Amino acid sequence: MRLVKNVGDAVSKMTSKMEESDQWFEEKQQQLDNLDSHLKRLLGSVETLSARRRELGSNTSVFAKSAGLLGNCEEHEPLARALTQLADVEEKIDQLHQEQSIKDYFLFGELLREYIGLIAGIKVCLQQRVKSFHTWHSAQATLLKKRETETKLKASGKTEKLPDIEREIKEWDGKVEQGRKDFEKLSKLVKAEVTRFETLRVKEFKESLIKYLESLMNTQRQLIDHWETFLPEAKAIV
């Protein structure tokens, strides 16, 4: 009875939740979960920003048309000229907002989507590792049961069934060994993939982010240029 209880306890441990023996995987899992959450939140903000910028462009265009119409019917020549020039500037600003909205969505937004996808792929690898662990330990549990059966057969003197159970023990012993190798191989693969993500992909993220920030700066410079061009017309109103 004690042997049966010991085997039962061993099987229960093998088929229960995976107990992580490598702290590295626990830390990386937590880091990836946090990064995934923050990236998704940032992506939502970028999509909102893109939509609001596009809306701002549309409203700017409406304002430009109104200013243009007002300039056409204005009798005061300097004011009419300034309104017409203002309408032209606002149309250009509308175009800048629309272009930047596209860059928000595709240049920065697609970058975030790519990284969210990469993290999802790594998480799948981590899940496959856990699955591999359970496959390995399930084979160990089956092997223990086979050995328990062998012990019972020997104790009961039913030796005619021993060849079959010994053959099965040998078979499951091989499965346990293969399961161990598969688990260790997959663990190394996951570590390599995460390390690659943290080096090459982080570098690419930095480069893409800088490119996006430069596009924002360029947009702001063009906005300033347009307003500086319009300023003399505004000052000429007398």
Side-chain angles (χ1 to χ4, degrees), residues 70-229:
L70 183 59
N72 289 335
C73 64
E74 176 58 53
E75 294 181 357
H76 189 280
E77 186 175 342
L79 179 57
R81 187 168 55 251
L83 287 170
T84 300
Q85 184 67 24
L86 176 61
D88 182 60
V89 169
E90 292 289 2
E91 284 291 350
K92 292 176 180 178
I93 291 175
D94 164 39
Q95 185 63 33
L96 285 175
H97 286 321
Q98 298 297 343
E99 291 175 356
Q100 188 58 54
S101 172
I102 293 174
K103 292 175 183 178
D104 292 338
Y105 191 86
F106 290 103
L107 185 58
F108 194 37
E110 282 301 316
L111 173 67
L112 296 175
R113 292 184 193 92
E114 179 185 356
Y115 274 78
I116 290 171
L118 287 171
I119 291 174
I122 293 175
K123 283 186 173 183
V124 169
C125 291
L126 288 169
Q127 291 170 359
Q128 288 298 319
R129 177 177 174 271
V130 173
K131 183 179 179 181
S132 175
F133 174 87
H134 286 303
T135 298
W136 170 30
H137 279 243
S138 176
Q140 283 186 322
T142 301
L143 178 60
L144 278 176
K145 289 180 180 179
K146 296 297 181 182
R147 285 175 174 165
E148 176 191 355
T149 300
E150 180 188 36
T151 300
K152 289 180 179 179
L153 289 175
K154 288 180 179 179
S156 65
K158 297 179 180 179
T159 56
E160 69 278 3
K161 294 183 179 181
L162 279 176
D164 290 337
I165 197 66
E166 288 173 350
R167 177 180 53 77
E168 291 178 5
I169 287 174
K170 183 178 180 181
E171 177 185 345
W172 280 100
D173 192 46
K175 290 182 178 181
V176 168
E177 180 61 18
Q178 185 60 50
R180 181 188 65 79
K181 290 180 180 179
D182 290 344
F183 176 73
E184 291 177 352
K185 180 180 179 180
L186 191 52
S187 295
K188 290 179 180 179
L189 178 64
V190 171
K191 280 191 174 184
E193 184 63 21
V194 172
T195 300
R196 186 177 72 87
F197 173 79
E198 291 179 335
T199 52
L200 297 179
R201 290 298 181 178
V202 169
K203 181 182 177 182
E204 292 176 5
F205 187 93
K206 175 184 176 181
E207 293 173 351
S208 297
L209 180 59
I210 290 174
K211 184 178 180 181
Y212 171 68
L213 292 175
E214 287 175 344
S215 76
L216 286 173
M217 292 172 62
N218 183 55
T219 296
Q220 292 303 314
R221 279 195 292 266
Q222 291 184 69
L223 284 170
I224 292 172
D225 288 343
H226 289 323
W227 286 120
E228 286 181 341
T229 300

Side-chain angles (χ1 to χ4, degrees), residues 51-63 90-91 93-95 97-98:
R52 293 291 181 271
R53 205 188 299 275
R54 186 167 59 253
E55 183 180 351
L56 174 61
S58 298
N59 291 334
T60 300
S61 178
V62 172
F63 175 76
E90 292 289 2
E91 284 291 350
I93 291 175
D94 164 39
Q95 185 63 33
H97 286 321
Q98 298 297 343

